[in-house]
Amino acid sequence: MNKFNAVFCAVAFASLLNACQSTSEPRQVTAETNTPTQESQNTLKIYKASKADYESWLAKMEESKSLRLYDDDLVDDLFDAWDDAVDVYEDFASNPAKATEDYSLFSDGTYAENFDKRLSQVAGLYDRLQTLKTTADSLLAESIAEMAYLGEIGADELYASRYNRLASDYRKLFAYVSDNDIDDAQVKQVVFLENAKKLEIAVVLKTHVEPLKNQITLLRREGFKSVAPISFTKSEASLEQVVASVNANPRDIDAINDAVAAVQFEIEHVKHIGQEVKRFRNVDNGKFEPLILELENRLHAIAQALEGLDLRNQPMQQQALVLEEKAQMLNTALTSKPDVDPQLAKLMSELDKVQSDLSMSQQEKASLTAQVTTLEEQNSKNEGLIDDLKMVIDTIKPKGDSSVTEVSAEPIDGL
């Protein structure tokens, strides 16, 4: 009985084993073929998402390099967090299948999940930096614009030490904002802007005024101040006006350029007057007449050009006054003269009328020509009809019968 039970159990177990193999093996094969495919698709999707995040943040990190002005320490923390994230990403960047593998025995989550966690830390620091930038840009807008303008006009090259001190104060303003010391930032900004404006004025003076000042200094060394003191003093006064214009508004370039041109004119005038004075000084006694005659000839040439006058029988000062009066009268005449001469306007009007009449004549001529052409065509047509009628008469008229000709001709003439 025990043997029978043992055999029965063996047969039953074998049958059961065969039954299990016949029903589960295809599903296992299917599972073996389908499951890796599904897993690989999910892995590839996760890998692509991590790669896209990496590339997006890489661009943001490149932009963040220029934000050290706002908070140097915060930027360092940002890049340290980014380096940690990159370390994880590099482990599976060249092997997508590794993205869903466990990161380590001592850490929960996969490589991709750990990369996301570290990117979250990067994002938090980045958001803090952007918020700080927005606040500083608004609060320190005037200082930012002023510093940019100083760079445009070359303050860093012309006054390097002053510019560097100012740049140090400029960076401190952002440090105040980073520490949330808004009141200190506002107070210090007022001081910064005052110093920056002084540097701006110094740059404009050095660029536009210093060359003129050097020219006037050179004229003084060459003795023009003693030779032509009146003209020299006038050039110095015009130089002071340029300085005043720059101090009033160093960015009004048009006004500054006008003032600079006026000073340059006075400098050239000083040179001219000084040279003339020196020329007279070098003339020996009794030899002044040629110089006086030269000046008089210049006035005479002007008088001849104006109205053919000869004023040489009058003192030179009187000649100058007469020429000045004539010039003013000529200028007044030119100014009051109408833009269009009335006589010329009348002639132009008559010319327009003649041209209009000619145009009408051309139109009438064209109309008459068309009528003549029509009449000629009609006449030619009638002549052809008459010729045809003559041919018909000649055809139907009996030979030698003059009476038929006369009778037949009447109705045809009637036609």
Side-chain angles (χ1 to χ4, degrees):
M1 185 64 182
N2 291 333
K3 291 181 179 180
F4 176 79
N5 289 334
V7 172
F8 177 79
C9 290
V11 172
F13 179 76
S15 299
L16 181 61
L17 180 61
N18 289 333
C20 291
Q21 288 178 348
S22 63
T23 56
S24 64
E25 186 174 358
R27 289 194 297 273
Q28 184 178 358
V29 171
T30 301
E32 288 177 354
T33 56
N34 291 338
T35 301
T37 301
Q38 185 66 32
E39 290 178 354
S40 63
Q41 290 178 353
N42 291 335
T43 299
L44 183 60
K45 183 177 180 181
I46 293 172
Y47 168 77
K48 287 183 177 180
S50 298
K51 182 180 180 181
D53 290 340
Y54 168 78
E55 293 175 348
S56 175
W57 275 103
L58 181 61
K60 293 180 180 179
M61 296 304 295
E62 289 293 333
E63 297 174 357
S64 299
K65 292 179 180 179
S66 62
L67 302 180
R68 288 192 173 275
L69 176 64
Y70 296 91
D71 192 325
D72 194 35
D73 293 336
L74 183 57
V75 173
D76 284 339
D77 294 341
L78 174 64
F79 277 90
D80 288 342
W82 170 250
D83 289 339
D84 292 340
V86 171
D87 289 340
V88 178
Y89 178 75
E90 286 179 344
D91 290 338
F92 67 93
S94 59
N95 185 9
K98 199 174 181 180
T100 54
E101 294 180 2
D102 291 338
Y103 180 66
S104 70
L105 296 175
F106 308 100
S107 175
D108 295 334
T110 63
Y111 280 90
E113 290 172 345
N114 273 272
F115 176 62
D116 290 340
K117 290 179 182 178
R118 302 195 182 191
L119 274 187
S120 297
Q121 297 176 358
V122 173
L125 293 170
Y126 180 83
D127 290 341
R128 284 177 55 191
L129 188 58
Q130 291 299 318
T131 300
L132 176 61
K133 179 181 182 301
T134 301
T135 302
D137 287 347
S138 176
L139 186 64
L140 305 177
E142 292 185 59
S143 298
I144 295 172
E146 180 66 31
M147 204 65 182
Y149 185 74
L150 289 175
E152 292 177 4
I153 61 178
D156 54 334
E157 297 179 358
L158 296 176
Y159 294 98
S161 59
R162 290 181 62 179
Y163 180 85
N164 290 334
R165 289 195 299 270
L166 195 66
S168 177
D169 295 337
Y170 180 67
R171 289 189 292 270
K172 290 178 182 178
L173 295 177
F174 290 88
Y176 287 124
V177 177
S178 177
D179 295 337
N180 202 28
D181 294 333
I182 304 302
D183 292 338
D184 289 340
Q186 291 176 333
V187 172
K188 296 296 183 180
Q189 180 174 219
V190 173
V191 178
F192 168 82
L193 290 174
E194 291 178 355
N195 294 330
K197 185 61 67 174
K198 291 179 182 178
L199 179 57
E200 180 183 336
I201 291 174
V203 171
V204 177
L205 289 175
K206 189 175 186 63
T207 304
H208 293 85
V209 179
E210 187 171 315
L212 300 174
K213 185 177 181 180
N214 292 336
Q215 292 184 57
I216 294 177
T217 301
L218 181 60
L219 291 176
R220 182 187 292 108
R221 291 175 182 173
E222 293 178 350
F224 280 83
K225 183 175 182 178
S226 60
V227 173
I230 298 175
S231 300
F232 187 87
T233 302
K234 191 174 181 180
S235 67
E236 288 184 321
S238 62
L239 182 64
E240 293 177 359
Q241 291 179 356
V242 178
V243 175
S245 297
V246 174
N247 288 325
N249 187 355
R251 299 194 185 187
D252 190 354
I253 302 301
D254 292 337
I256 293 173
N257 287 335
D258 291 341
V260 167
V263 176
Q264 192 64 53
F265 177 88
E266 295 300 334
I267 289 174
E268 299 301 326
H269 185 248
V270 170
K271 293 179 181 179
H272 163 67
I273 296 298
Q275 290 171 356
E276 291 294 332
V277 172
K278 289 180 179 180
R279 188 160 67 101
F280 274 90
R281 281 185 174 181
N282 293 330
V283 176
D284 294 334
N285 292 333
K287 295 183 179 180
F288 284 100
E289 184 180 7
L291 296 178
I292 301 301
L293 290 175
E294 180 185 348
L295 294 176
E296 187 180 56
N297 287 335
R298 295 178 186 175
L299 293 175
H300 180 62
I302 297 173
Q304 289 288 307
L306 282 175
E307 293 184 0
L309 301 174
D310 191 347
L311 306 174
R312 288 177 293 177
N313 61 335
Q314 302 178 26
M316 293 181 64
Q317 287 185 338
Q318 184 63 30
Q319 294 182 38
L321 291 175
V322 172
L323 293 178
E324 181 182 2
E325 182 180 353
K326 295 293 183 182
Q328 290 178 353
M329 292 174 61
L330 179 60
N331 182 62
T332 302
L334 292 175
T335 303
S336 60
K337 187 176 181 179
D339 295 336
V340 180
D341 190 346
Q343 185 176 1
L344 177 60
K346 181 179 180 181
L347 291 175
M348 293 296 295
S349 177
E350 292 178 356
L351 178 60
D352 292 340
K353 183 178 180 181
V354 171
Q355 290 178 342
S356 177
D357 293 341
L358 288 175
S359 177
M360 292 297 296
S361 298
Q362 291 293 334
Q363 292 178 0
E364 293 175 358
K365 181 180 178 180
S367 177
L368 291 174
T369 300
Q371 294 178 18
V372 170
T373 301
T374 302
L375 291 174
E376 288 178 347
E377 292 177 353
Q378 185 65 36
N379 187 39
S380 177
K381 183 177 179 181
N382 292 338
E383 289 178 354
L385 180 59
I386 292 172
D387 290 339
D388 293 340
L389 289 174
K390 288 181 179 180
M391 290 176 62
V392 172
I393 292 171
D394 292 339
T395 302
I396 64 175
K397 181 178 67 175
K399 294 181 180 180
D401 190 351
S402 60
S403 62
V404 174
T405 301
E406 292 177 357
V407 173
S408 300
E410 291 179 358
I412 293 175
D413 289 340
L415 292 175

